[in-house]
Every structure is written in structure tokens, then in C-alpha cells.
Amino acid sequence: MEFRKAAADSIFRYFDISNEDGEEHLPYAKFLFTLGPTKLTIEDNLMFVQGGSFRGASNETTSRVAKTTNDLLIGSETQLDDKLALGLHIHNYEYDPQGGQFERNQTDGGVTIFYKAFAKVDLYLEANGGHVSVLRAGSEDFAQGKVGFRGQLTPKLVGKFDVGGEHRTITANGQSTDQGNPIFGGS
């Protein structure tokens, strides 16, 4: 069994408009376990802002208001044979501003099938689903399907790209609406 971990903490302080100053603390932890053909990853990205104020008419609301967010991901990838691998993940994101004005919780999970198409490139199919709840604003249920590739694209470029579709059912004020959207991702 192999075990690796990483941890970091960053502190940001705003110096403009002093009555709205805040400090962001960003502790981060990542644990990687290798158990035979399975790799298990646990990531927790916590952020809390102290001080600050609520700026309702500004795009700085999310960066300045006192809040706590937590982004937790647990994922695994198991090598089934020399060409196929199976990935599973569960994810939880919580956003809780002081006073609870926009409290948000998202829980989702999914499964991915990887196929080694080339020596350093995998093709994959991914299916995800989840639920989002926003205090005083309603909720959403969603399902996604994606296809993509990941790996070493050139000797100096490693990346990931996917395309797919998403279906959302949005419920607010006792009304439900359905929405379909294309989705694209890359890194």
C-alpha cells in the first residue's frame, strides 16, 4: 500500500475599502492511497472568510462576505485489465455565508469507464448525477453524460477534454422546469 498526502494553507487580506476587509483561509488536504490495482483519492478544500461585509450589488459578494465553504471529493480508479479501468466518485460542496443568506449544498456522484486507446491517452465515458439545494431559492436535480480523453497529448502537454449533455429539473416556488444543456470541459 502506498500513501501520499499534500496540505497547504493560504491567507489573503484585502486592504481596499477598509470597513469591508476580510481574511480568507484556504486549508487544503489531499490523500492518495494505492491498494493493488485501485487508487483512492480523498480531497478536502475548505475555505473560510473572517470579517468582510455583504455587498449585494457587487460581484465581490462571494469573495468578501464572511462565509465557510467546503469542497470534499472521494474518488477511486481501479485498473480492470491492461486496457480498461473503472472510476467512481462522490462529491459534496457546501457554501454557508454568515447569516445564511445564500446557503447552498450540492451532493453528486458518478461512474467513469476508461479505455486506453493509445500508450499515453485514455478515452472515457462518464455518467454523473446529483442534487443541489439553495436556501430560499429552491433545488435542482441533474444528470450528465460525457465522453472525452485524458493523457499526455504532446511530450510537454498533459490534459483532459470532454463534451456531453446535461438535464436539470429546477424546482422553485412550487414550480418545476426541465432544462437541457450541452457541457464542455478541459484542463
Side-chain angles (χ1 to χ4, degrees):
M1 177 168 117
E2 179 186 343
F3 169 70
R4 291 181 286 167
K5 68 176 182 166
D9 183 25
S10 301
I11 298 173
F12 294 90
R13 177 129 179 106
Y14 299 101
F15 291 104
D16 58 329
I17 314 174
S18 61
N19 64 328
E20 296 177 355
D21 280 355
E23 289 184 5
E24 293 181 7
H25 300 271
L26 305 166
Y28 171 80
K30 182 174 184 176
F31 301 94
L32 302 167
F33 301 91
T34 302
L35 306 162
T38 301
K39 295 176 186 172
L40 176 66
T41 303
I42 301 171
E43 290 182 69
D44 194 14
N45 193 358
L46 175 68
M47 176 176 66
F48 58 96
V49 177
Q50 297 172 310
S53 66
F54 178 72
R55 297 178 61 165
S58 168
N59 63 1
E60 294 185 23
T61 298
T62 56
S63 64
R64 292 220 179 213
V65 68
K67 66 179 175 285
T68 301
T69 64
N70 192 30
D71 197 4
L72 175 66
L73 174 68
I74 300 172
S76 70
E77 186 175 320
T78 302
Q79 198 67 40
L80 302 175
D81 62 26
D82 60 339
K83 293 275 190 186
L84 286 176
L86 178 67
L88 301 170
H89 74 272
I90 188 157
H91 171 250
N92 187 66
Y93 175 79
E94 295 177 4
Y95 171 74
D96 186 12
Q98 187 173 351
Q101 294 108 335
F102 304 108
E103 189 174 314
R104 180 179 195 270
N105 189 307
Q106 175 176 327
T107 302
D108 59 82
V111 61
T112 308
I113 299 171
F114 298 97
Y115 176 75
K116 183 160 289 309
F118 305 102
K120 296 183 180 181
V121 177
D122 295 336
L123 301 177
Y124 62 87
L125 292 170
E126 186 173 320
N128 297 305
H131 178 78
V132 179
S133 174
V134 181
L135 184 67
R136 293 191 285 276
S139 64
E140 298 179 15
D141 293 304
F142 65 92
Q144 299 175 339
K146 298 189 278 189
V147 297
F149 61 86
R150 69 173 185 182
Q152 188 158 1
L153 307 176
T154 70
K156 294 185 178 187
L157 179 64
V158 175
K160 178 179 177 180
F161 179 77
D162 53 45
V163 298
E166 174 181 80
H167 178 267
R168 284 190 180 260
T169 300
I170 302 166
T171 306
N173 302 320
Q175 303 282 335
S176 288
T177 57
D178 289 323
Q179 204 177 67
N181 297 302
I183 52 176
F184 306 94
S187 62

